[in-house]
Amino acid sequence: MGFRRGRWRENRILGISMKQRLDTAIMPPTSETSTAFLPYGRQQIDEDDIAAVMEALRSDWLTTGPKVGGFEAAVCEFSGAQYGVAVSSGTAALHAAMHALGIGPGDEVIVPAMTFAATANCVVYQGGTPVFADVDPDTLLIDPADVALKITPRTRAIIAVDYAGQPCDYDALRDLARVHGLALVADGCHSLGGSYRGRRVGTLADLTVFSFHPVKHITTGEGGMVVTDNRELAARMRRFRNHGIDTDHRQRETVGTWAYQMVELGYNYRLTDLQAALGTSQLAKLPGWLEKRRKLAAAYDTDLANVTAVRPLAVRSGDEHAYHLYVVRLADSGVRGRIFAGLRQQGIGANVHYLPVHLHPYYQDAFHTAPGLCPTAEAAYDCILTLPLHQGMEETDVVRVVHVLRQELGA
Ligand SMILES: *Cc1c(COP(=O)(O)O)cnc(C)c1O
């Protein structure tokens, strides 16, 4: 038993380094593959995107200029929120959100175990303690019932992650937040363009965080944004991204003053105008890209319907899934490693999202988390596989992925 436990842990450590090596935006084709390498996600850059960046490059403002506000307004318009604060990454956006809510030492923030580490790290940046909640076994979305069990007098906020692009059960989470006086943050890094019961991602929580990393729906190279209807929180995040200074460079230029005051400790988390120009150009194409992603996901659903060894994650009907990822579960967790390697060998960039955050060595060491804390997420981790999905794919790519997958499974 002790031996099995040891191996189990070792597998996870291997899983980490494997993931870190493979979780890059673009994987170069390997020389031995005959067909082009198909990454699990990748950016699409068109000529109009390049022209938009060129225009910004030729303008007076490379950073803190008008393109930033323009991009913020465009994301607000798209997501239905009132205020947008653009920052240098999704991680910076999460950090700004935690800071705006006043999270500090002694505070607990509930986060799902099944997410990218940044969702929990942002709590730690502020000196707070992330508390891991388990996920629903069918959707891998944070389980409101487990959230309820994890609430203590120290809990200050919940961060919900719209895993793979499907919005969480926000009505249940909102109720919990209201009853216990907690802030609700949506990590919408997977779900830009999704909706829940007719309400858009961006309007479902007090603060919603987006990432514009190249694997996400739209990209600015690196970049992120927090959207909110709360003016006060937006103002605090604007200050936070600029060293905690009460005005920005352009505001001072307009008024014709040199004077500024740093009123709290902040960071340089600014997004440049070059990035904002790219983001605005990309956003204009997002509706079509979402449609494409949904069509590809539907093709996977159809093609996998009679492959019993593989089951796609459950999708609630009625809501709009944004399909950042297409995740399946293998019926037999014992073959995941082999299937993963087989797909890679044939040029298909399968991936695994994610090692549950509490199993990372850092969290086990610093927060004394251990296997067994979130059993559903841990069990899911052993059998999930992310199949390629991005707007540059065609349905023939889906056919190829499913063909190779069946081959590898012997199904
Ligand atoms: C991508 C991502 C982040 C971090 O975004 P970056 O822009 O890479 O910093 C945070 N949370 C989730 C769920 C993500 O997928």
Side-chain angles (χ1 to χ4, degrees), residues 88-94 115-119 161-163 187-190 209-213 215-216 222-224 324 354:
S88 53
S89 69
T91 304
L94 284 164
T115 184
F116 182 55
T119 312
V161 176
D162 299 336
Y163 179 81
D187 179 337
C189 290
H190 293 188
V209 169
F210 297 121
S211 163
F212 309 122
H213 181 275
V215 294
K216 306 294 163 68
E222 297 279 359
H324 164 54
Y354 298 93

Side-chain angles (χ1 to χ4, degrees), residues 8 22 42 87 93 131 141-142 148 150 157 159 164 204 218 223 230 244 256 263 283 287 335 387 393 395-396:
W8 193 76
L22 299 174
R42 72 154 293 166
V87 290
V131 172
L141 297 173
I142 194 167
K150 302 275 162 86
I159 308 181
L204 298 162
I218 64 167
N230 186 314
V263 294
L283 188 64
V335 303
L387 302 179
M393 282 171 58
E395 286 186 33
T396 51

